[in-house]
């Protein structure tokens, strides 16, 4: 869950918001969430099936080729997502751009960021503690 994942999620959510009529946004965000959840469910299973086996080097090479092919297919489909020439103009005039500091000072944003950072930090601490516990257990078993 690094910067690349965060950037993708923000970009994808803004794309859903721009491409959806106001009355369709709830449904389309639901579809986006279901698709992301299914990807998180199926992805590790497919990767394990692709990489698994006795030949780890061959499995890794195959996984790299499949990932490259998937990226190429995704890249070639980008032209269909948004065409600036045919995007309908909003009925309301565009306002001034809001500076980042204005967004960060908006009500609820600092609290949301704090909660997100707390959850991520707790996940990191729990992962590190679990790893340390495994290392300690293995050291005791192999004495």
């Amino acid at each position: 869950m690094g910067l690349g994942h965060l950037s993708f999620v923000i970009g994808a959510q803004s794309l859903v918001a721009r491409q959806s009529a106001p009355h369709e946004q709830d449904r389309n965000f639901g579809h986006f969430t279901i698709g992301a959840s299914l990807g998180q469910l199926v992805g590790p299973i497919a990767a394990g099936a692709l990489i698994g086996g006795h030949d780890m080097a061959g499995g890794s090479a195959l996984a790299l080729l499949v990932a490259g092919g998937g990226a190429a297919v995704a890249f070639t489909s980008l032209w269909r997502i948004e065409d600036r020439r045919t995007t309908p103009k909003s009925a309301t005039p565009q306002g001034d751009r809001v500076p980042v500091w204005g967004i960060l000072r908006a009500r609820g944003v600092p609290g949301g960021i704090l909660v997100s950072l707390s959850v991520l930090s707790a996940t990191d601490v729990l992962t590190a503690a679990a790893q340390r516990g495994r290392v300690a257990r293995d050291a005791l078993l192999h004495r």
Side-chain angles (χ1 to χ4, degrees):
M1 301 284 192
L3 184 60
H5 180 262
L6 179 65
S7 299
F8 165 75
V9 170
I10 291 170
Q13 287 178 346
S14 66
L15 184 66
V16 169
R18 280 197 314 268
Q19 294 294 322
S20 302
H23 67 279
E24 295 176 335
Q25 285 185 349
D26 288 339
R27 177 181 52 99
N28 291 344
F29 274 110
H31 289 161
F32 171 73
T33 303
I34 289 169
S37 297
L38 286 175
Q40 290 176 350
L41 173 70
V42 174
I45 295 169
L50 200 62
I51 294 175
H54 298 294
D55 183 17
M56 293 297 279
S60 294
L62 179 61
L64 182 62
L65 288 173
V66 170
V73 168
F75 185 73
T76 58
S77 68
L78 287 177
W79 67 272
R80 299 188 64 216
I81 291 178
E82 200 167 16
D83 187 4
R84 299 258 183 227
R85 292 172 290 149
T86 59
T87 302
K89 298 293 181 196
S90 174
T92 59
Q94 293 282 334
D96 293 332
R97 293 192 124 187
V98 179
V100 173
W101 292 113
I103 295 170
L104 292 175
R105 286 191 303 247
R107 182 173 176 243
V109 172
I113 291 173
L114 179 66
V115 168
S116 296
L117 288 174
S118 300
V119 169
L120 288 174
S121 298
T123 303
D124 288 345
V125 168
L126 289 173
T127 303
Q131 180 64 29
R132 186 174 183 167
R134 281 192 291 270
V135 168
R137 183 194 68 216
D138 290 345
L140 288 173
L141 291 174
H142 295 291
R143 274 189 181 183

